[in-house]
Each structure stands twice: as C-alpha cells, then as structure tokens.
Amino acid sequence: MKTVLFILMGSFTFVTAQNQNALKKEITPPEAIKITKELKAHDQVRIDDYYWMNNREDPQVISYLNSENDYNEKMTAHTKEFQTKLFNEMKGRIKEDDKSVPYKLNGYWYLTRFEKGQDYPIYSRKKESLDAPEEILFDVNEMAEGYDYYSLGGLNVSPDNKLVAFGVDTLSRRKYTIQIKNLETGEILPLKIETTTGGSTWANDNKTLYYTKKDDQTLRSNQIFKHILGTTPSNDQLVFEEEDETFNTYIYKSKSKKYLIIGSGSTLTSEYRILNADNPEGEFKVFQPRERSLEYGISHFEDYFYVLTNKDGATNFKLMKTPVDKTEKEHWQEVIPHRDDYLLEDIDIFKEYLVVSERHNGLNKIKITRWDDNSSYYLPFDNETYTAYTSINPDFDTNILRYTYNSLNTPTSVVDFNMTTKEKMILKEQEVLGGKFNKDNYTSERIWATAEDGTKIPISIIYKKGVKKDGNNPLLQYAYGSYGSTIDPYFSTARLSLLDRGFIYAIAHIRGGEYLGRTWYEDGKLLKKKNTFTDYIDVSKYLIAQNYTSSEHLYAMGGSAGGLLMGVVVNMAPELYNGVIAAVPFVDVITTMLDESIPLTTGEYDEWGNPNDKEYYDYMLSYSPYDNVNRQDYPNMLITTGLHDSQVQYWEPAKWVAKLRDFKMDDNILLLHTNMEAGHGGASGRFEALKEVAEEYAFLLDLEGITE
C-alpha cells in the first residue's frame, strides 16, 4: 500500500492512500451564493444563479476565486512535492542556455537566446557576419523585473536599421503599449502608444510607423493609425477604421518591401488595401472589395500579386495572380487550380522559386517550383505522422528555404534546404537533456476511428515501446476542433514525463479543424458543430474498444474552444473518462455570444452562429456546457483560468464550477485554479509555464496512483 508522509501540528504522521482520500473528503469545497438572474431571449427565460460573478472588480468575486484556489491548494497538498519533482524533471530536459538559429535580414543576423536560470529571452543581432560583435536589442529578463506577467512582442526594425518598435503587455489582456528604441544610442524614446496589438510596420522613409489600435472594451482590432516620429500619439492620423464589428484589421509590409498592406478579415471574408511603401502620404487602394464568403490573401512578386483564394467555390483554395495595377477579381488568373484532396495552406515567394505549403490526407507537404521553367518537386517526408512547415524566410534573393520538422517522437529540427542542389543542412536539432531520451524507445502511429455517421477520424498516438494493449494503460486524449485550427503531431519534452510513466498520448484530429481539408472545418462549425463533440467521444470509444485504455484510465484534455469541447463531452458521456482537464474553457456559450461588449463576441458569429437568430440560439443552447449541466455523475476534473483572460473571461469557468458543485451527484474531485496574475496564455516565463504543466500532470498521475 502506498504511504505518504504528512507533517501535522509539528509531528510526523504516516498517511495511507486510503486515509488520504478520507482526508480529502473532510475538506469542504466552496459553496457559491446564488443570486437569481433571468436572461431572456426569443421568448425564453434562462436562469443564471451565478451571473454575479461577471464583475472582476467585485470583492465578493475575488473572495470566491480565492476560496476556490485555497480549496485547490488543500486538495492537492499531498502532490506538491511530486509537482516540484515533475517541474525539475521537465526543466532538466531543457537546454537552459539555448539559442535560436540566426536568420539574416537587411544586412544583420538576428537571433534569440536564453541564459541559464533565466525565464525570458534575450534578442540580439550581428552586423553582416556571425563573427561580428553581438548587439543586444532587448534583455527581457531585465525588462520583466518587478512584473508578475511580462510579454514583449512585435519587434520591428526600421529599414535603415536604426530604430526598433516593440510592444509590451504587463497584464495579459493582450493590450500592448508600443514604444521605440534607438539602436544607435540604446535609448528607449518617451513615446508610448497605448491599447494596441503590439505589432507595427515602418514605411520606407524610416519615420512613418503604422500600427493597429484595439477597442478598449471589446479588444477588437479596429483602427489603423499612422505615427510620424517626433510627434505625439494624440496627433496620429487615423488611416483606416473597420466599422463592421465582425471584422478585425491589421497592417504589414510585403516581403518585397514595396507595399504596405492593410488587411481586414472575419471568419469567412477578406479584404485588403495597398499602398506603395515609398509613399506614406498616399492613399490606400482597395485590392478587391469584400464579398461575403470570399476569402483571399495576397503576396507581391515583380509585376504581379499572387492571390491565395477560395474564389469560385475553391473550398480547399487555389492560387491566382493579377497585375499590380489591376487587382480586382475579374483580372485574377489561375496559377494552381483547386483540388479536392489537397488543401492549399500558404505560399513563400523567392526570386527564383515559389514554395507552396499544402496538406494531403492530413499530412504537411512542401512543394517547390521554379519560376523560369515551372519544374517542381516535393520535399521528401517519410514518417507516418509528422509536422513540417516553412520557417523564417525573410530573404527574397536566395535559393535557401528554411523549414522546421518534428514528430511525436522526433525533436524539432531547423533545416536549410538548397532548392537548386536539393541538399539539406540540419542547422539545429532540439536537445533533450538528461541522457535518458532515445526516440527509438517510443512508438508513434496514426490510427483511424469511425464516427457515428461513418466518417473516419484520424488519431495521432505515441507511447513507450513495450506497452501492452490490455485496456489497463492510462491514456490522455487531447483535441481542439475549432476555427479550422489544426493540432499537428508535435514533439514535447514535457510530455515525456507522462510517457515514461506508462501514459499513452493521443491527438484526436476531429472535425472543426482542417486536418483533412477545408471541408473538415466546415463540417465542424455553426449548425454542424456537434460533429466536433461526437467525433471526440467516438475516438474515446474506439481507443477503449481497441484496448489502448479503458474508461477507468482514460483522460480528456482541451483548452479554450477545446475547453468547450471538454464541457460538452462531460455532459454527454461522463462515464467514458476518469479525469478531465479543461484549460481556460469557453463554456457559457449563449450568454457570451449575446453580449457584444465582451471581447471576440461579434467576430465569432461565423464560427458559432449568431444567437440573435433563433435557429442558432436553439442549436447553441442544446450543447452549451453551462446550460446543460445535469444531475449526474461527472469525472474528476481540473479547470484552470486566468483573472485577466481576454479571450475567455474568467467568469465562464468560475460559474461552471459553481454550477457543477451544485448539480453533480458524485464524490469525484472538482478543482478550479485561477491564476490571479495571468490571462489566456497562462504564465509568461518559460519556467513558470512549466509549473502549470507540472500541476496538470500531477493531477492525472495522482488519479492513477502514480506518485513518483
């Protein structure tokens, strides 16, 4: 029998695992007060007893969140030592004094490095040669001192290499303040531009800076401004305002450096405006006016713009081109036609080559074509399941393509590929320290489950060799399944802490992502959203039926929209899982989507539907996790959130937990951990983030009775 040492009232007490459970039952969970709120829509009334939590300034709300955190601390006190061990174990696999592969841009080599014991990166550059002296751009460790959260982003060097614009967020609300540093003097200018995305773009005159402002309440990116060096932000010119509340806007410069491009986009529709980057005083010209459900993206090369688009029913997208002076869609000419079995994801343009990123049967493909003779070939990837994508390629006049490759059991490699000679050079392979990792000790495979409607659902899976498929293995099943976002099979050093303790790890490539093409996404959104949830459940049933695991040892995990997935799954099929981790979960679907003041709401209508329309209201209500909590047994659950989350407001998981406590009929564990300093992405430091992973893993391992 497992024994754990507790220190109680100054004396040593040996507590068995059985007594441990008894102790946990004596700890009383928080009980949230109920204040009835009637929510009316479409002649229906919903009762929300915990609507009062929607105010982060209310001391009673903070008190409740703290009481849940206190309960979580007491319930997991016996795992704290194990969490520390897991953290040190995961940290020990990381090369602490690591650095990125340098890339060259406009005469400088840029690199990012970490120093031992430091949480944040150091950004630097070297002029012309890697042997040149290092010039520190930013030491984020110094900048982050005194902050619980610190994020530096949007680094943007002026064309003359003398200035760098950057954005800082110290609250984790994704509201960045833009500043400018003089790279010749090292001085950070007094300029501060508040409430932005953090990103910016220089015109070619080195004095005009474009940036994107956010609405202070909804956090929608809705305005493009132009700042002239030496002036105050209050005098900045509004260049473009996106008035459609379902759209966001942004600005960037073409890889050719010839055009400034303003983009506007919703889930289903795109629009761009262009301006010669040498003429910042000019007027932006609409590339192709927005049309409902017409999506396109643009890249400039010589006398043409290349257009990646779904025009004319090209569900999986096709590539077209158009003269720079005739950009409307009637002038677009087909370059790569639409194909039913290939998803065209992106392009990279070089002086002599066109590189196309595709997806076929769920797998990444990279195709290289010469401009002069149209000859083409694919990069060879022979693994059964992997991730490969083009990396940072800012240099236009080069025959070297940089790409990144990894798989579930293969650490990440950064590769330079000579597109002319077809030779490749591995510049860096991720090091796994500790001397214990060998990729040959793990089996990675792709298997297919059958959904209830007959659809085949792919699953990427990894486990340690020697694992027997006898139904007794703990298995963690992960998925996302929204926005067309694909979770590719990727390598994780942290995940080894589960695999080496007998866990199987599975990624369910369910509908709602784009793993099997654009139709895969279309079949998992709006009025087909339930396919996402039933796919996940059917994958679970398949893994059980094939004896990879059993319901006593199966665990589910998802975050954000994947947290919505967790919320639906535990309502629909709680008996399949022993434990569930829902990170920053979007669970109060109807209330959020009816509140246009909440960040992201209006821009989400094309993903979930607009509940002001009764058809969508009824459909969303039928699966909304918070509205469908039942009087039934639920699995053991760990739910996490951040007080300052800008994507999924903290009150959604908080209210959900309160309602679950009231309704659930079991004695299983239910924990809520609110990070009172962070937001949607969790902790900002690389090691602080590992502590959150250690907490999650300890929760799972503890349920399996694994304590070391």
Side-chain angles (χ1 to χ4, degrees):
M1 181 177 290
K2 295 180 179 130
T3 303
V4 179
L5 182 66
F6 276 74
I7 301 177
L8 298 174
M9 302 192 58
S11 62
F12 293 97
T13 305
F14 286 95
V15 182
T16 65
Q18 183 177 1
N19 289 337
Q20 235 182 75
N21 292 330
L23 280 174
K24 283 191 279 189
K25 288 180 180 179
E26 292 176 3
I27 303 171
T28 305
E31 184 175 345
I33 62 169
K34 294 181 181 181
I35 302 175
T36 300
K37 170 84 171 178
E38 291 188 352
L39 301 171
K40 300 177 181 178
H42 303 293
D43 298 321
Q44 296 183 28
V45 177
R46 292 180 300 124
I47 302 298
D48 188 347
D49 290 326
Y50 306 105
Y51 190 87
W52 61 270
M53 293 186 189
N54 292 36
N55 181 6
R56 67 168 50 82
E57 305 301 326
D58 185 347
Q60 193 169 8
V61 172
I62 300 301
S63 177
Y64 170 71
L65 296 177
N66 284 331
S67 69
E68 284 285 2
N69 279 349
D70 183 59
Y71 177 71
N72 175 57
E73 284 292 308
K74 291 176 180 176
M75 290 291 287
T76 59
H78 64 288
T79 71
K80 294 303 180 185
E81 185 177 333
F82 190 29
Q83 287 184 40
T84 301
K85 179 179 179 179
L86 288 169
F87 167 75
N88 289 330
E89 181 177 287
M90 290 184 284
K91 182 181 177 183
R93 298 192 190 101
I94 297 173
K95 188 176 184 344
E96 291 195 43
D97 54 347
D98 204 3
K99 63 182 177 180
S100 66
V101 177
Y103 66 89
K104 195 172 187 182
L105 176 63
N106 197 22
Y108 281 84
W109 288 94
Y110 288 87
L111 63 149
T112 305
R113 61 182 174 86
F114 287 90
E115 293 187 345
K116 192 168 184 178
Q118 299 291 330
D119 251 329
Y120 294 95
I122 297 170
Y123 297 99
S124 65
R125 67 179 185 176
K126 298 182 178 184
K127 189 172 184 178
E128 292 299 343
S129 169
L130 288 171
D131 295 326
E134 182 183 44
E135 178 184 341
I136 302 294
L137 303 179
F138 300 102
D139 184 340
V140 186
N141 299 287
E142 294 179 356
M143 301 169 75
E145 286 182 7
Y147 292 98
D148 293 317
Y149 179 92
Y150 195 92
S151 175
L152 177 78
L155 273 62
N156 172 32
V157 178
S158 60
D160 62 6
N161 293 311
K162 295 180 179 180
L163 302 168
V164 58
F166 61 98
V168 173
D169 173 18
T170 58
L171 191 62
S172 191
R173 286 286 287 172
R174 301 190 183 183
K175 294 164 65 172
Y176 285 82
T177 298
I178 289 177
Q179 296 179 260
I180 295 174
K181 182 176 182 178
N182 185 319
L183 294 176
E184 293 183 312
T185 66
E187 174 195 9
I188 293 180
L189 306 184
L191 168 77
K192 289 189 176 183
I193 305 174
E194 309 283 350
T195 320
T196 76
T197 61
S200 60
T201 301
W202 293 97
N204 289 343
D205 64 357
N206 298 294
K207 68 177 184 179
T208 306
L209 185 71
Y210 293 84
Y211 60 91
T212 308
K213 288 276 282 186
K214 287 187 167 188
D215 181 277
D216 194 51
Q217 183 176 17
T218 67
L219 302 186
R220 182 171 70 92
S221 306
N222 65 332
Q223 295 177 321
I224 305 295
F225 278 87
K226 179 171 68 175
H227 175 78
I228 308 297
L229 288 184
T231 66
T232 61
S234 60
N235 292 327
D236 288 355
Q237 178 186 343
L238 176 63
V239 174
F240 172 70
E241 181 164 13
E242 180 52 73
E243 296 181 350
D244 189 325
E245 292 184 345
T246 67
F247 279 69
N248 287 281
T249 188
Y250 50 93
I251 185 165
Y252 65 100
K253 190 185 289 185
S254 64
K255 184 175 177 178
S256 65
K257 308 304 178 190
K258 291 187 177 180
Y259 288 93
L260 296 161
I261 303 172
I262 294 176
S264 280
S266 69
T267 304
L268 296 176
T269 308
S270 313
E271 184 180 67
Y272 291 89
R273 288 167 167 77
I274 58 174
L275 174 66
N276 190 309
D278 291 328
N279 182 29
E281 296 304 313
E283 296 291 326
F284 280 84
K285 169 186 174 292
V286 175
F287 188 93
Q288 157 62 37
R290 68 187 64 177
E291 295 180 8
R292 174 73 175 172
S293 298
L294 174 63
E295 298 177 65
Y296 69 95
I298 59 177
S299 301
H300 173 249
F301 176 57
E302 294 185 341
D303 297 328
Y304 291 90
F305 279 100
Y306 284 77
V307 186
L308 197 63
T309 180
N310 68 345
K311 181 177 179 289
D312 301 324
T315 306
N316 276 337
F317 290 78
K318 60 184 176 181
L319 185 65
M320 308 186 80
K321 70 176 183 178
T322 192
V324 294
D325 58 347
K326 296 178 180 179
T327 60
E328 293 78 12
K329 67 176 184 177
E330 55 264 27
H331 303 294
W332 298 0
Q333 309 160 35
E334 189 169 88
V335 178
I336 299 176
H338 172 261
R339 292 162 293 172
D340 290 334
D341 55 346
Y342 277 82
L343 174 65
L344 191 53
E345 293 189 313
D346 202 2
I347 63 171
D348 287 273
I349 289 179
F350 297 86
K351 184 177 180 180
E352 295 181 5
Y353 295 92
L354 170 66
V355 178
V356 179
S357 297
E358 306 172 338
R359 188 180 294 273
H360 174 63
N361 195 32
L363 301 180
N364 303 124
K365 303 286 185 181
I366 299 176
K367 185 179 183 180
I368 298 171
T369 302
R370 286 192 64 95
W371 290 113
D372 55 6
D373 63 7
N374 220 29
S375 60
S376 63
Y377 59 92
Y378 284 95
L379 293 183
F381 303 121
D382 54 6
N383 205 329
E384 184 177 6
T385 179
Y386 61 87
T387 299
Y389 53 91
T390 61
S391 183
I392 300 174
N393 290 283
D395 193 354
F396 174 72
D397 188 7
T398 180
N399 62 351
I400 301 298
L401 169 71
R402 181 165 293 178
Y403 71 90
T404 300
Y405 176 90
N406 70 94
S407 71
L408 287 171
N409 64 340
T410 306
T412 300
S413 294
V414 178
V415 181
D416 269 3
F417 180 81
N418 189 311
M419 294 181 281
T420 303
T421 65
K422 300 183 181 179
E423 296 174 314
K424 74 175 184 179
M425 178 183 296
I426 298 176
L427 301 178
K428 179 181 180 180
E429 184 171 67
Q430 178 184 3
E431 292 184 57
V432 183
L433 303 185
K436 297 180 180 179
F437 174 74
N438 181 343
K439 67 180 182 180
D440 294 330
N441 290 338
Y442 304 88
T443 298
S444 171
E445 58 185 357
R446 186 168 63 160
I447 57 179
W448 300 75
T450 302
E452 59 182 16
D453 63 0
T455 303
K456 296 293 185 180
I457 312 298
I459 311 161
S460 295
I461 196 164
I462 183 172
Y463 49 88
K464 199 163 185 181
K465 285 184 178 177
V467 166
K468 296 179 181 179
K469 297 174 187 175
D470 58 6
N472 293 318
N473 305 301
L475 188 150
L476 178 58
Q477 180 182 328
Y478 180 83
Y480 186 71
S482 291
Y483 303 106
S485 179
T486 299
I487 306 299
D488 281 312
Y490 63 96
F491 183 77
S492 164
T493 58
R495 189 190 301 135
L496 297 173
S497 290
L498 287 182
L499 300 179
D500 290 346
R501 289 175 171 85
F503 261 78
I504 298 173
Y505 184 83
I507 301 173
H509 303 292
I510 54 182
R511 282 174 282 188
E514 280 186 345
Y515 187 80
L516 292 180
R518 183 71 174 193
T519 302
W520 202 245
Y521 170 41
E522 302 290 346
D523 284 346
K525 63 185 291 195
L526 297 174
L527 297 175
K528 295 182 179 180
K529 188 63 207 172
K530 288 183 182 178
N531 285 336
T532 301
F533 315 133
T534 55
D535 280 1
Y536 189 92
I537 291 169
D538 289 333
V539 166
S540 299
K541 291 178 178 177
Y542 177 80
L543 292 170
I544 291 171
Q546 297 300 310
N547 284 325
Y548 282 93
T549 189
S550 62
S551 58
E552 292 81 15
H553 301 286
L554 178 58
Y555 301 90
M557 184 175 181
S560 195
L564 163 68
L565 171 64
M566 296 297 99
V568 177
V569 163
V570 295
N571 282 337
M572 292 178 63
E575 72 283 353
L576 291 178
Y577 309 96
N578 188 41
V580 174
I581 297 176
V584 292
F586 170 45
V587 287
D588 191 9
V589 180
I590 294 291
T591 306
T592 290
M593 294 302 295
L594 282 172
D595 187 348
E596 296 181 3
S597 71
I598 294 176
L600 301 183
T601 291
T602 54
E604 303 279 286
Y605 289 156
D606 288 332
E607 179 71 25
W608 312 103
N610 185 343
N612 292 296
D613 180 329
K614 190 173 187 304
E615 181 182 23
Y616 286 104
Y617 177 90
D618 289 341
Y619 187 78
M620 295 160 74
L621 184 60
S622 71
Y623 68 74
S624 174
Y626 183 65
D627 293 287
N628 288 280
V629 172
N630 299 312
R631 294 206 176 277
Q632 64 181 26
D633 288 351
Y634 281 88
N636 298 286
M637 298 173 68
L638 170 62
I639 298 162
T640 64
T641 186
L643 179 63
H644 303 292
D645 197 328
S646 61
Q647 310 301 104
V648 178
Q649 306 301 311
Y650 72 89
W651 58 72
E652 292 199 38
K655 289 163 54 177
W656 184 40
V657 167
K659 191 171 182 179
L660 282 168
R661 290 208 189 284
D662 187 36
F663 274 70
K664 74 191 196 84
M665 307 296 289
D666 57 85
D667 292 325
N668 288 330
I669 297 168
L670 175 59
L671 303 175
L672 173 66
H673 182 189
T674 303
N675 187 325
M676 304 301 281
E677 283 83 41
H680 199 66
S684 57
R686 58 173 175 160
F687 298 134
E688 287 302 310
L690 275 184
K691 292 178 182 178
E692 296 177 350
V693 178
E695 177 188 10
E696 294 168 349
Y697 283 8
F699 174 76
L700 299 173
L701 292 163
D702 186 50
L703 291 174
E704 280 294 310
I706 300 172
T707 59
E708 58 183 33

